[in-house]
Amino acid sequence: MIGTTRIKGGLLILAIIIGLIIGILVPVQTSVNTRLRGIVGSPFLASLLSFSIGTVFLILLTLFVERNFSLNPGVWSEPGWIWIGGVLGVIFLTGNILLFPRIGGVQTVIMPIFGQVLMGLLIDNFGWFSNAVTPLSSTRLLGAGFVLLGVIGTVALGDWLAKRRHPEQAKPVDTTIYGWRVLGVVMGMMSAAQAAINGHLGVVLDSAIKAALISFIVGTVTLLLVNVIVRTKWQFDRSLPTPWWIWIGGLIGALFIAGNAVIVPLVGTGVAVVIVTIGLLTGSLLIDRFGLFGAAKTPVTGVQLVSLALMIVGIVLIRSN
């Protein structure tokens, strides 16, 4: 009994470590891809490079783990939406590249998280994408309320308090920021839909890794077509600093998919989401606080920390019900 308890405890610790690492890496990916966008001049080209690198990594991972690329015949009788996860991933990744320099690292993480929570509740309540129906309950609605309070506290309360304390330093509000924030929420909804679709595809294929590979291949092809359609100018500005880490965005994306495939069977989807979310928020705070990967330094306030804690409580309530 003691040995079994130790094994389970060890697996939980391993899952926590992996979940926190891949969560922290997601805002790093956004920062890296944003820097790459500055060098190649196009968010679509930066996304294409990121997806291509991730696809190569997942091909190698599939060869190492699965030993083959065969698909279960039953996948061809599934609904057409099972193949669009990669398209939604393109929207999420490219959107992050556009958002990061406009609303900062913390809000680029927080607004999509709210969208993910909102879409997750809709998917569960209506059973979209072949998910089991989980009706809305008072606990889940309370959790959503906490998440919303956390979002409001992060994006609005901090600014309001700063203006009250230092009115002489107040700057005119750029109203376009509200549109970018709404885009962040929509992107989060697309990300939640992608996760549900890829999850179902993984069940059909009996392989989360193969599902991730298909998603990345679809995303890469989509981005290739987009770059051709918009006639992206293929360039590489060598006058700008090009640190080695500008190429790791796609690798981080692939590691995120693979990491989730490892920890979900160990601790369940709900616990995995909470662990990864804590990592996401931690990574975004570190990037803003220290100006990592070319980001502008932004002080972390007490209001932000309290708001992020409210979001975590809300997500725990939603996932525990």
Side-chain angles (χ1 to χ4, degrees), residues 95-110:
N96 273 338
I97 294 175
L98 294 172
L99 284 181
F100 186 80
R102 291 173 173 85
I103 63 176
V106 172
Q107 290 191 42
T108 300
V109 169
I110 286 175

PDB file of all heavy atoms in Angstrom, residues 95-110:
ATOM      1  N   GLY A  95      -3.221  35.040 -33.958  1.00  0.00           N
ATOM      2  CA  GLY A  95      -3.851  36.075 -33.144  1.00  0.00           C
ATOM      3  C   GLY A  95      -2.976  36.485 -31.973  1.00  0.00           C
ATOM      4  O   GLY A  95      -2.886  37.673 -31.634  1.00  0.00           O
ATOM      5  N   ASN A  96      -2.328  35.509 -31.344  1.00  0.00           N
ATOM      6  CA  ASN A  96      -1.419  35.822 -30.234  1.00  0.00           C
ATOM      7  C   ASN A  96      -0.273  36.724 -30.681  1.00  0.00           C
ATOM      8  O   ASN A  96       0.151  37.630 -29.945  1.00  0.00           O
ATOM      9  CB  ASN A  96      -0.860  34.532 -29.630  1.00  0.00           C
ATOM     10  CG  ASN A  96      -1.763  33.959 -28.563  1.00  0.00           C
ATOM     11  OD1 ASN A  96      -2.569  34.661 -27.978  1.00  0.00           O
ATOM     12  ND2 ASN A  96      -1.641  32.670 -28.313  1.00  0.00           N
ATOM     13  N   ILE A  97       0.252  36.456 -31.880  1.00  0.00           N
ATOM     14  CA  ILE A  97       1.345  37.267 -32.408  1.00  0.00           C
ATOM     15  C   ILE A  97       0.892  38.722 -32.594  1.00  0.00           C
ATOM     16  O   ILE A  97       1.651  39.668 -32.340  1.00  0.00           O
ATOM     17  CB  ILE A  97       1.846  36.692 -33.747  1.00  0.00           C
ATOM     18  CG1 ILE A  97       2.485  35.310 -33.520  1.00  0.00           C
ATOM     19  CG2 ILE A  97       2.843  37.627 -34.410  1.00  0.00           C
ATOM     20  CD1 ILE A  97       2.893  34.609 -34.800  1.00  0.00           C
ATOM     21  N   LEU A  98      -0.362  38.894 -33.012  1.00  0.00           N
ATOM     22  CA  LEU A  98      -0.894  40.246 -33.206  1.00  0.00           C
ATOM     23  C   LEU A  98      -1.201  40.927 -31.876  1.00  0.00           C
ATOM     24  O   LEU A  98      -1.008  42.141 -31.727  1.00  0.00           O
ATOM     25  CB  LEU A  98      -2.170  40.175 -34.059  1.00  0.00           C
ATOM     26  CG  LEU A  98      -1.996  39.715 -35.505  1.00  0.00           C
ATOM     27  CD1 LEU A  98      -3.352  39.505 -36.150  1.00  0.00           C
ATOM     28  CD2 LEU A  98      -1.188  40.722 -36.297  1.00  0.00           C
ATOM     29  N   LEU A  99      -1.673  40.145 -30.895  1.00  0.00           N
ATOM     30  CA  LEU A  99      -2.087  40.721 -29.619  1.00  0.00           C
ATOM     31  C   LEU A  99      -0.924  41.152 -28.737  1.00  0.00           C
ATOM     32  O   LEU A  99      -0.980  42.184 -28.074  1.00  0.00           O
ATOM     33  CB  LEU A  99      -2.942  39.714 -28.842  1.00  0.00           C
ATOM     34  CG  LEU A  99      -4.393  39.497 -29.269  1.00  0.00           C
ATOM     35  CD1 LEU A  99      -5.049  38.477 -28.353  1.00  0.00           C
ATOM     36  CD2 LEU A  99      -5.167  40.795 -29.239  1.00  0.00           C
ATOM     37  N   PHE A 100       0.116  40.328 -28.690  1.00  0.00           N
ATOM     38  CA  PHE A 100       1.186  40.498 -27.702  1.00  0.00           C
ATOM     39  C   PHE A 100       1.757  41.919 -27.654  1.00  0.00           C
ATOM     40  O   PHE A 100       1.872  42.503 -26.569  1.00  0.00           O
ATOM     41  CB  PHE A 100       2.288  39.478 -27.955  1.00  0.00           C
ATOM     42  CG  PHE A 100       3.373  39.476 -26.916  1.00  0.00           C
ATOM     43  CD1 PHE A 100       3.188  38.827 -25.710  1.00  0.00           C
ATOM     44  CD2 PHE A 100       4.577  40.133 -27.137  1.00  0.00           C
ATOM     45  CE1 PHE A 100       4.179  38.826 -24.741  1.00  0.00           C
ATOM     46  CE2 PHE A 100       5.571  40.137 -26.179  1.00  0.00           C
ATOM     47  CZ  PHE A 100       5.372  39.476 -24.977  1.00  0.00           C
ATOM     48  N   PRO A 101       2.137  42.521 -28.794  1.00  0.00           N
ATOM     49  CA  PRO A 101       2.717  43.877 -28.707  1.00  0.00           C
ATOM     50  C   PRO A 101       1.687  44.959 -28.398  1.00  0.00           C
ATOM     51  O   PRO A 101       2.063  46.089 -28.068  1.00  0.00           O
ATOM     52  CB  PRO A 101       3.316  44.078 -30.106  1.00  0.00           C
ATOM     53  CG  PRO A 101       2.528  43.189 -30.995  1.00  0.00           C
ATOM     54  CD  PRO A 101       2.146  42.000 -30.172  1.00  0.00           C
ATOM     55  N   ARG A 102       0.397  44.619 -28.468  1.00  0.00           N
ATOM     56  CA  ARG A 102      -0.643  45.635 -28.278  1.00  0.00           C
ATOM     57  C   ARG A 102      -1.234  45.651 -26.875  1.00  0.00           C
ATOM     58  O   ARG A 102      -1.619  46.707 -26.376  1.00  0.00           O
ATOM     59  CB  ARG A 102      -1.759  45.416 -29.316  1.00  0.00           C
ATOM     60  CG  ARG A 102      -1.308  45.742 -30.746  1.00  0.00           C
ATOM     61  CD  ARG A 102      -2.350  45.355 -31.765  1.00  0.00           C
ATOM     62  NE  ARG A 102      -1.973  45.828 -33.098  1.00  0.00           N
ATOM     63  CZ  ARG A 102      -1.174  45.170 -33.917  1.00  0.00           C
ATOM     64  NH1 ARG A 102      -0.654  44.002 -33.550  1.00  0.00           N
ATOM     65  NH2 ARG A 102      -0.882  45.656 -35.110  1.00  0.00           N
ATOM     66  N   ILE A 103      -1.336  44.476 -26.226  1.00  0.00           N
ATOM     67  CA  ILE A 103      -1.955  44.454 -24.896  1.00  0.00           C
ATOM     68  C   ILE A 103      -1.055  43.825 -23.838  1.00  0.00           C
ATOM     69  O   ILE A 103      -1.444  43.712 -22.677  1.00  0.00           O
ATOM     70  CB  ILE A 103      -3.318  43.721 -24.922  1.00  0.00           C
ATOM     71  CG1 ILE A 103      -3.157  42.253 -25.314  1.00  0.00           C
ATOM     72  CG2 ILE A 103      -4.283  44.420 -25.861  1.00  0.00           C
ATOM     73  CD1 ILE A 103      -4.469  41.473 -25.265  1.00  0.00           C
ATOM     74  N   GLY A 104       0.152  43.396 -24.221  1.00  0.00           N
ATOM     75  CA  GLY A 104       1.095  42.869 -23.239  1.00  0.00           C
ATOM     76  C   GLY A 104       0.927  41.381 -22.972  1.00  0.00           C
ATOM     77  O   GLY A 104      -0.081  40.772 -23.349  1.00  0.00           O
ATOM     78  N   GLY A 105       1.930  40.824 -22.310  1.00  0.00           N
ATOM     79  CA  GLY A 105       1.957  39.385 -22.088  1.00  0.00           C
ATOM     80  C   GLY A 105       0.847  38.876 -21.196  1.00  0.00           C
ATOM     81  O   GLY A 105       0.223  37.845 -21.480  1.00  0.00           O
ATOM     82  N   VAL A 106       0.547  39.596 -20.091  1.00  0.00           N
ATOM     83  CA  VAL A 106      -0.472  39.126 -19.150  1.00  0.00           C
ATOM     84  C   VAL A 106      -1.848  39.083 -19.809  1.00  0.00           C
ATOM     85  O   VAL A 106      -2.557  38.072 -19.750  1.00  0.00           O
ATOM     86  CB  VAL A 106      -0.503  40.016 -17.893  1.00  0.00           C
ATOM     87  CG1 VAL A 106      -1.686  39.653 -17.004  1.00  0.00           C
ATOM     88  CG2 VAL A 106       0.794  39.864 -17.106  1.00  0.00           C
ATOM     89  N   GLN A 107      -2.248  40.174 -20.454  1.00  0.00           N
ATOM     90  CA  GLN A 107      -3.568  40.204 -21.073  1.00  0.00           C
ATOM     91  C   GLN A 107      -3.661  39.271 -22.276  1.00  0.00           C
ATOM     92  O   GLN A 107      -4.737  38.742 -22.573  1.00  0.00           O
ATOM     93  CB  GLN A 107      -3.926  41.634 -21.486  1.00  0.00           C
ATOM     94  CG  GLN A 107      -4.185  42.553 -20.309  1.00  0.00           C
ATOM     95  CD  GLN A 107      -4.783  43.875 -20.734  1.00  0.00           C
ATOM     96  OE1 GLN A 107      -5.668  43.926 -21.587  1.00  0.00           O
ATOM     97  NE2 GLN A 107      -4.311  44.962 -20.142  1.00  0.00           N
ATOM     98  N   THR A 108      -2.536  39.042 -22.972  1.00  0.00           N
ATOM     99  CA  THR A 108      -2.545  38.096 -24.093  1.00  0.00           C
ATOM    100  C   THR A 108      -2.823  36.685 -23.608  1.00  0.00           C
ATOM    101  O   THR A 108      -3.309  35.836 -24.371  1.00  0.00           O
ATOM    102  CB  THR A 108      -1.199  38.147 -24.846  1.00  0.00           C
ATOM    103  OG1 THR A 108      -0.993  39.464 -25.356  1.00  0.00           O
ATOM    104  CG2 THR A 108      -1.174  37.177 -26.014  1.00  0.00           C
ATOM    105  N   VAL A 109      -2.534  36.419 -22.351  1.00  0.00           N
ATOM    106  CA  VAL A 109      -2.864  35.113 -21.762  1.00  0.00           C
ATOM    107  C   VAL A 109      -4.256  35.126 -21.147  1.00  0.00           C
ATOM    108  O   VAL A 109      -5.037  34.189 -21.314  1.00  0.00           O
ATOM    109  CB  VAL A 109      -1.818  34.731 -20.692  1.00  0.00           C
ATOM    110  CG1 VAL A 109      -2.286  33.529 -19.887  1.00  0.00           C
ATOM    111  CG2 VAL A 109      -0.482  34.412 -21.355  1.00  0.00           C
ATOM    112  N   ILE A 110      -4.594  36.199 -20.436  1.00  0.00           N
ATOM    113  CA  ILE A 110      -5.829  36.240 -19.657  1.00  0.00           C
ATOM    114  C   ILE A 110      -7.074  36.291 -20.544  1.00  0.00           C
ATOM    115  O   ILE A 110      -8.055  35.567 -20.288  1.00  0.00           O
ATOM    116  CB  ILE A 110      -5.812  37.450 -18.706  1.00  0.00           C
ATOM    117  CG1 ILE A 110      -4.847  37.169 -17.556  1.00  0.00           C
ATOM    118  CG2 ILE A 110      -7.199  37.752 -18.169  1.00  0.00           C
ATOM    119  CD1 ILE A 110      -4.667  38.323 -16.625  1.00  0.00           C
TER     120      ILE A 110
END
